[in-house]
């Protein structure tokens, strides 16, 4: 899995990153919320491990902000010892689970396994009234079924996994077409037009937005 670890204490960050790396995970470490936001533009991640007490604020606020943008990446909060209220707040704030510091590495692994099992069981992505069933390759908007080609579905899934984040054409070419370089075609734009015709045309509220000179973003908000 690709894991973003947001932790400012070098000792803990080092110990967790090393351990998860040995378990075969790819770990990116950010020291604060600003660093996490920068790392998230390079997403998606399969899991966020978020310390609450960061130099530039509460890690939970970052999770809350992501949830508001429709980002459902599982999040495990690291929280100070014996602060029960904080732990409860952690769960209400959109975190999927919490772990009280100090913790044993095995406990962290057990929590991660439980979270990813639950996340895997859901296997749907939701952006506004748009729902993607990843296992069944089924898309609905406001209850209406939308039929897509395999490539159209792959592009929509990529945008939905990164909901609220602007995806450049280059990034989409990498993620959806596996192309490292732009072949100089309008591949992405053609597929976006295709998606718009199916996902947005019959609805008042567009979900696919163009960010001029940058790329595209899927989100349930005006741009
Ligand atoms: Ca801290």
């Amino acid at each position: 899995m690709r894991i973003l670890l947001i932790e400012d204490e070098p000792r803990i960050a080092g110990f967790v990153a090393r351990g998860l790396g040995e378990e075969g995970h790819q770990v990116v470490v950010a020291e604060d919320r600003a660093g996490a936001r920068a790392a998230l533009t390079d997403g998606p991640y399969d899991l966020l491990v978020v310390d609450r007490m960061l130099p530039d604020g509460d890690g939970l606020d970052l999770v809350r902000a992501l949830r508001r943008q429709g980002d459902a990446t599982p999040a495990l909060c690291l929280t100070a010892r014996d602060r029960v209220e904080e732990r409860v707040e952690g769960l209400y704030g959109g975190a999927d689970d919490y772990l009280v510091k100090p913790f044993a590495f095995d406990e962290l692994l057990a929590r991660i396994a439980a979270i990813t099992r639950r996340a895997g069981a859901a296997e749907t992505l939701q952006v506004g009234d748009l729902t993607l069933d990843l296992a069944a390759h089924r898309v609905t908007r406001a209850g209406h079924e939308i039929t897509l080609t395999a490539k159209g579905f792959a592009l929509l899934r990529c945008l939905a996994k990164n909901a609220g984040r602007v995806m450049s054409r280059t990034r989409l070419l990498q993620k959806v077409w596996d192309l490292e370089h732009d072949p100089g075609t309008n591949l992405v734009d053609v597929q976006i037009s295709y998606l718009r015709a199916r996902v947005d045309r019959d609805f008042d509220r567009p979900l696919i937005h163009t960010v001029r000179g940058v790329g595209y973003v899927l989100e349930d908000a005006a741009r």
Side-chain angles (χ1 to χ4, degrees), residues 95-117:
D96 298 87
D97 203 354
Y98 61 85
L99 198 51
V100 180
K101 288 179 174 181
F103 51 84
F105 187 70
D106 283 349
E107 194 183 358
L108 175 69
L109 284 183
R111 295 299 172 90
I112 289 176
I115 289 179
T116 49
R117 256 199 317 274

Side-chain angles (χ1 to χ4, degrees), residues 6-9 12 51-55 101:
I6 310 157
E7 168 61 77
D8 59 306
E9 285 172 63
I12 298 178
D51 180 33
R52 288 209 55 177
M53 289 171 72
L54 296 168
K101 288 179 174 181

